[in-house]
Amino acid sequence: MIKFTVITLFREAIEPYLKASMMWKATEKGLAEFDFVNLRDFGLGPHKSVDDTPYGGGDGMLLRCEPVFAAIESVKEKDPQAKVILPTPVGEIWTQEIARRFARVSDVPTQHYIILCPHYEGYDERILSIVDYKISLGKYVLTGGELPALIIIDSIVRLIPGVLGGEQSAEIESFSNGDNLEYPQYTRPEDFRGMKVPEVLLSGNHGEIAKWREKHSGNA
Ligand code: ADE
């Protein structure tokens, strides 16, 4: 079982995805659990403020330390083992290999990840002292950590044994062995508007099919 606690100001932007399809099935099967903490609950003053202007000047607002630390500590109080993930464009680039590492839970009964979703222009650098993993989804800048949080969650949860229909689909799929890209696949009909399924795939010759797939996979 892997548990995710998402600290965000925009739960409504994340929750519908986790209540659909495979993510929902994973929770139904007790393989994953999703929880939310509203950063606003830890805001300062009458306006529950969570951000402020940067020292030294500059555009935009930064997430302040106090609400972020209080929110993370409120989760860690109940589970000191929980690991904190910060989506940030300057983090380590997320890959299938890292997702697999995060999905490996054999050493603890419940792996618990806290994902802190920054918003606005950024965060106070001192927040990094409470973060275990800085993760980037790519060399581009998004408005917040909500989309990265969903991508991180999805790519981990689908690797938990029992989440995908065919037990082995996650294993044999693209990227599972290093960086190889998946081979082309076809289903019925055999001929669609003149575009035909390659003959070898209809042959029933498993050796030849395996060879064809290897040759046509992205790493060939
Ligand atoms: N926050 C904003 N942009 C991001 C990115 N590319 N990856 C992760 N977190 C982000």
Side-chain angles (χ1 to χ4, degrees), residues 86-91 118 135-145 148 152:
L86 176 74
T88 164
V90 296
I135 300 294
S136 167
L137 266 298
K139 301 274 175 206
Y140 46 83
V141 181
L142 299 162
T143 55
I152 291 166

Side-chain angles (χ1 to χ4, degrees), residues 112-126:
H112 187 177
Y113 297 111
I114 300 168
I115 306 184
L116 171 67
C117 298
H119 230 265
Y120 311 110
E121 264 66 24
Y123 46 84
D124 187 303
E125 192 72 8
R126 291 167 290 187

